[in-house]
Amino acid sequence: MIEIKNIYKSFDKLKVLTGASIKVEPHQVVVVLGPSGSGKTTMLRCINFLERADSGELTVGDMTVDFAKVKKKEIHEIRKKVGFVFQNYNLFANKTALQNVMHGLIVVKKMSKEEARKKAEDALAWVRLSDKVDYYPSQLSGGQQQRVGIARAIALEPEIILFDEPTSALDPELIEETLEVMKNVAKRGITMLVVTHELSFAQDIADKVIFMDGGVVIEEGTPDEIFNNPKEERTKQFLSRIIAAKSFDAGK
Amino acid sequence: MIQEKYFMICLQAAISKIPRNLLMCFVTLGICVVLGMLAALLRTYRLPVISKLLDVFIALCKAFPANLILLICIMVYTYKFNDFAAFFHLKMSIRDVNLIYIAVIGLTIVSFPGISEVLRSGLIAIPRGQFEAGYAVGMTAFQTFRDIIFPQMFRVVIPPLTNSILSLLKMTALVNVMGVSDILKSATDAATESYAYLEAYTAAALVFWVLGIVIEQISKMLEKYFAKSVKQIA
Ligand SMILES: Nc1ncnc2c1ncn2[C@@H]1O[C@H](COP(=O)(O)OP(=O)(O)O)[C@@H](O)[C@H]1O
Ligand SMILES: [Mg+2]
């Protein structure tokens, strides 16, 4: 379970998060939607402290911390409970696909090398990359890199995995394979908090959809509620714009 | 013009000091890499006061000619050593072997700015995402640096660091201003009786040339070894 209460974050004078609250129950898949610049990335980054929020409260599993006075040790503990899949993959450039997945298991989870290798091979097989284990990131396509990124996150068995627009840097023909893998992650019962503009993914997989704008949660509900009966004007506008853009893309 | 007999004598004298020049070169390099790495980290992470002090120190180091710094070091050492010896009633004289350490200190001061700069350029060449990926996996800052950042930095800095090593090696020929015997000094010493200075200089040049080639080749091999992870740019 993960819960953010009243998170605030500014970059100098720019107020990016202004009291957003979000809750994800165990085994839930929650999708966050919102226009560009609404603070979605910043919120995810604050959850595993790649960015320091100014105030608010964060609960991950049995740990609750105050953003304003969290200790270094607590940050480290929370990072171990939270997986992160980056928009631009961020695989370790000096390590092969297998090593990318293994490394955290050895260094963070203190597994033996053989055990870690076995687990990493399983994770890579699971994202259908068994034939690429010894490839370096620079030798893989974007879609393959992102699948390694997902394998790296699931192998560590975190309590939740955060996805920041995992398909938005991919060519259209590579998006589908990545979404397919993410659907499988969801089916495994792994708790997920996903920022994405892929409405079909949200529709099919999400237990809850959250619409964010201007650093706060505007509206949340089931996919059906949000997509078919949005209550807020801003949600309606955003959805119609996204759908228009999609059909424009499809028509090209 | 060059007499083979004298040339061989000088060459032998020069060769006998190869270990000493290499020792001074690589001990200095080791110290500079450790200190330079710390400095690069401090300057990159902008610890306000310390990084300002470092900037001033590095600017000073850069401003002085190498042989001047070596001379200052030996002067300070000479005075301090006498005070020190007198204070402890030591019956010690300043020996050559001690001077090598002083030479290393001098060479470190001379080479530190360049090497620190090279390491810093390597550090800032690593994308932020590499650090963040390490943290996200649950690694500590130290583990991330050791396993992810440093190996990538190393690959980036091999060519410029090779240049630093070569100029450092050449600078080891300056230590005779401190009275330390090295490849060049030893070769010319061997020539004093016969006045075969041309032979001596040629012999010393040959030795430095070969050392330079060897270092360059090792660097090329390392570069190739570390380039394997970037064989293909996607
Ligand atoms: N490190 C940063 N420094 C300054 N401004 C930032 C930084 N990161 C994000 N921002 C700003 O914060 C706002 C929200 O960004 P972001 O969280 O990336 O939004 P989203 O992911 O919803 O598009 C944007 O205006 C962005 O320019
Ligand atoms: Mg974003």
Side-chain angles (χ1 to χ4, degrees), chain A residues 11 14 16 34-43 51 164-165, chain B residues 128:
Chain A
F11 292 107
L14 180 70
V16 176
S36 167
S38 57
K40 306 178 300 292
T41 296
T42 304
M43 189 177 66
E51 217 70 74
D164 186 18
E165 299 200 30
Chain B
R128 252 177 83 129

Side-chain angles (χ1 to χ4, degrees), chain B residues 80-106:
Chain B
K80 285 284 168 201
F81 188 87
N82 286 344
D83 288 349
F84 176 84
F87 187 79
F88 289 101
H89 304 287
L90 295 175
K91 282 263 183 286
M92 274 175 75
S93 64
I94 299 170
R95 291 239 177 94
D96 211 0
V97 61
N98 289 334
L99 282 183
I100 289 183
Y101 297 126
I102 309 310
V104 165
I105 293 173

Side-chain angles (χ1 to χ4, degrees), chain A residues 45 48 50-51 76 79-80 82-84 86 89-95 100 103-105 107-108 110 136-141 145 152 156, chain B residues 127-141 143-144 146-152 155 225 227-234:
Chain A
R45 289 168 60 82
N48 73 346
L50 295 176
E51 217 70 74
H76 190 63
R79 280 176 176 163
K80 286 202 255 183
V82 177
F84 205 104
F86 295 89
Y89 338 126
N90 285 344
L91 297 186
F92 303 132
N94 59 324
K95 299 199 174 294
N100 260 277
H103 196 74
L105 297 174
V107 175
V108 179
K110 314 279 182 218
Y136 283 95
S138 57
Q139 300 166 311
L140 297 171
S141 75
Q145 287 189 61
R152 178 170 72 178
L156 288 159
Chain B
R128 252 177 83 129
Q130 294 290 306
F131 290 87
E132 295 183 346
Y135 301 153
V137 163
M139 289 156 76
T140 62
Q143 289 166 340
T144 304
R146 181 194 61 194
D147 302 342
I148 309 301
I149 307 304
F150 187 73
Q152 291 185 52
R155 193 187 69 215
Y225 176 78
K228 67 179 198 291
S229 56
V230 280
K231 241 182 295 176
Q232 282 172 21
I233 302 302

